[in-house]
Amino acid sequence: MFKQISIHSVYVLDQSEALDFYVGKLGFEVTNDVDMGFMRWLTVALPADPSREILLEVPGPPSLSNEVAAQVRDLVTKGAMGAAAILITDDCKKTYETLKAQCVEFTQEPVTQPYGVDCALRDPFGNHIRITQPAAQPREVDDSDRARWGTDTP
């Protein structure tokens, strides 16, 4: 029925600051920057995957009422919006070191997982982003994984 996802949105509180982070630090490129009068349509994409864009959207009209927008801004700053993106890399530890040197705030250092090596960071607004280096051969989850994740549920 569908062929691909072309755009998904991430709520940001300041689009200029979002550009500094997503373009200046993470290496995305601006694909659209249009002043529509009632909103700024600002999308970015990775150079290696230009067909999948992220809309850096400020919560507010026309898609949200002022009241709901205030609630969304509060949730974003609390980090309660879930994963904004999972970015794939060939070398998670090197990517981590490069971004750390640019003062990116990480919430988790690179960790070997059953599916590869990954780490976690937040954008300047509180959105969660994971960086993953997929394993050549993912393995089954074991008790050491469950212990590290803080769960004993199989």
Side-chain angles (χ1 to χ4, degrees):
M1 179 191 305
F2 301 106
K3 291 173 42 177
Q4 69 186 60
I5 295 172
S6 66
I7 299 174
H8 76 274
S9 67
V10 172
Y11 285 122
V12 299
L13 306 184
D14 179 291
Q15 288 174 311
S16 294
E17 190 176 357
L19 280 178
D20 288 344
F21 181 76
Y22 285 90
V23 174
K25 294 189 178 185
L26 298 186
F28 284 75
E29 294 180 344
V30 174
T31 51
N32 291 284
D33 190 352
V34 180
D35 181 352
M36 300 176 71
F38 59 91
M39 72 174 287
R40 180 180 179 190
W41 183 265
L42 178 60
T43 59
V44 295
L46 290 169
D49 191 9
S51 67
R52 176 169 277 172
E53 298 172 275
I54 296 175
L55 172 63
L56 300 173
E57 183 177 8
V58 175
S63 61
L64 301 173
S65 69
N66 287 326
E67 179 184 348
V68 171
Q71 293 170 343
V72 169
R73 286 190 297 274
D74 187 48
L75 291 171
V76 168
T77 59
K78 290 178 179 173
M81 298 298 287
I86 298 173
L87 306 174
I88 302 299
T89 185
D90 292 330
D91 188 337
C92 186
K93 291 177 183 174
K94 181 179 178 184
T95 302
Y96 169 83
E97 292 299 333
T98 299
L99 294 175
K100 187 104 171 140
Q102 296 180 50
C103 299
V104 170
E105 175 192 349
F106 280 83
T107 57
Q108 181 186 44
E109 295 181 0
V111 175
T112 300
Q113 306 282 9
Y115 50 84
V117 178
D118 80 347
C119 59
L121 60 101
R122 290 184 193 262
D123 75 6
F125 316 102
N127 291 303
H128 294 279
I129 298 172
R130 295 200 72 84
I131 298 171
T132 301
Q133 174 188 336
Q137 283 285 308
R139 64 172 175 75
E140 292 292 320
V141 172
D142 62 25
D143 290 338
S144 68
D145 298 316
R146 290 185 196 90
R148 186 176 63 255
W149 298 334
T151 178
D152 57 7
T153 307

